[in-house]
Amino acid sequence: MSVVSLLGVKILNNPAPFDAKYQFEITFECLEPLQKDLEWKLTYVGSATSSEHDQELDSLLVGPIPVGVNKFIFEADSPDLKRIPTSEILGVTVILLSCSYDDREFVRVGYYVNNEYDNDEMNNDPPTKTVIEKVRRNVLAEKPRVTRFAIKWDTEDSAPAEFPPDQPEADAVEDDGTAYGADEEEVETAEAEAVEGVKEGGEDEEMAGAEDTSGPPATKAEDEFSDAGSEDLEAESSGSEDEDIEEEEAEGDGDEDMEMGEDGDGAAQTEAGKGEQHMHGQQAGEVMVH
């Protein structure tokens, strides 16, 4: 548990000229009396490729620290241009606000900083040599990145554990190396048996059940008929055409006699009936094909 908690940081002058001082209003809470002071630092990251260009802008010792909520203003100088690569003066960089107790850092707050000219003309066409008087910095104060570290304070009880606690009861437990993975093997075996059962008879049984529910099994002649297609159907219908017409004519004599009595033209009506019956026979065959 941390004895000191950072509650808030407010940047008082933002945005500001590049060479202006940084001003932070820092609020923190102390839960118990401390024997030593807190050390606050502000670091400017001069290059994204090397830590050699990092600058410690300022540091401040705060103490003695009373228990409760405390607030103070931290000012730091602007970075030294001579220690920043010329190509990285403009653009986005980072500043780090950190606090340590007894040389042990316990909190760090990082901010992105955007350095650019104060007018669009110079931003669109920057001069060869940086005009620092025209450069303004803008700290993205709304999006800080806070990192906390567990440290030792004044007592040994507050020190973080360096190693996991001893667990003597764990040594008394029997080795489960033989049982490890047994459940997984049982599941795999059951799945393999299920797959083999499906391969042996699962699909055939489903097909057989479908045949029983749909009616009697198809005959060999019907199978050949369904495989022949529409062309074979027309060929077969031409061979059995006369037989179909005779059977239908015998069944429909009553209707034809009635039509003959009404129209008086029995021969013509009979031929028309035959033609219609022949067409109905072909249509019925086409429906069966589809």
Side-chain angles (χ1 to χ4, degrees), residues 53-75:
H53 303 284
D54 293 356
Q55 302 181 43
E56 183 180 313
L57 301 183
D58 208 342
S59 62
L60 177 66
L61 292 174
V62 178
I65 306 297
V67 176
V69 177
N70 300 272
K71 181 185 296 185
F72 71 99
I73 295 177
F74 178 32
E75 290 188 357

Side-chain angles (χ1 to χ4, degrees), residues 81-103:
L81 290 177
K82 297 178 181 178
R83 299 179 59 182
I84 303 175
T86 306
S87 60
E88 300 195 42
I89 295 177
L90 299 177
V92 179
T93 186
V94 174
I95 58 173
L96 300 173
L97 177 66
S98 61
C99 188
S100 302
Y101 181 75
D102 196 15
D103 293 331

Side-chain angles (χ1 to χ4, degrees), residues 35-208:
Q35 300 176 3
K36 299 180 181 180
D37 297 339
L38 298 177
E39 183 180 13
W40 296 84
K41 292 181 181 180
L42 182 64
T43 304
Y44 184 90
V45 178
S47 175
T49 58
S50 175
S51 60
E52 297 178 357
H53 303 284
D54 293 356
Q55 302 181 43
E56 183 180 313
L57 301 183
D58 208 342
S59 62
L60 177 66
L61 292 174
V62 178
I65 306 297
V67 176
V69 177
N70 300 272
K71 181 185 296 185
F72 71 99
I73 295 177
F74 178 32
E75 290 188 357
D77 294 331
S78 61
D80 186 2
L81 290 177
K82 297 178 181 178
R83 299 179 59 182
I84 303 175
T86 306
S87 60
E88 300 195 42
I89 295 177
L90 299 177
V92 179
T93 186
V94 174
I95 58 173
L96 300 173
L97 177 66
S98 61
C99 188
S100 302
Y101 181 75
D102 196 15
D103 293 331
R104 293 185 288 269
E105 182 181 12
F106 64 90
V107 66
R108 180 189 304 168
V109 184
Y111 296 95
Y112 287 108
V113 182
N114 185 29
N115 298 318
E116 62 181 0
Y117 287 110
D118 57 4
N119 59 83
D120 295 337
E121 295 180 359
M122 299 184 71
N123 287 324
N124 296 331
D125 188 14
T128 304
K129 185 178 180 180
T130 304
V131 183
I132 198 64
E133 295 79 9
K134 294 289 185 180
V135 178
R136 294 180 64 83
R137 69 168 185 251
N138 185 14
V139 181
L140 301 183
E142 297 81 7
K143 297 181 180 181
R145 175 165 294 184
V146 181
T147 306
R148 294 178 173 84
F149 308 94
I151 66 168
K152 174 187 174 182
W153 296 88
D154 291 332
T155 61
E156 294 294 336
D157 296 338
S158 62
E162 297 182 0
F163 302 98
D166 296 335
Q167 298 179 352
E169 66 278 1
D171 298 334
V173 179
E174 296 181 0
D175 186 11
D176 60 347
T178 56
Y180 181 77
D183 296 339
E184 289 78 0
E185 292 180 358
E186 293 178 359
V187 172
E188 293 178 357
T189 303
E191 291 179 352
E193 293 176 354
V195 171
E196 291 178 358
V198 170
K199 289 183 178 180
E200 292 177 358
E203 294 181 358
D204 294 338
E205 292 175 359
E206 291 179 0
M207 293 294 291

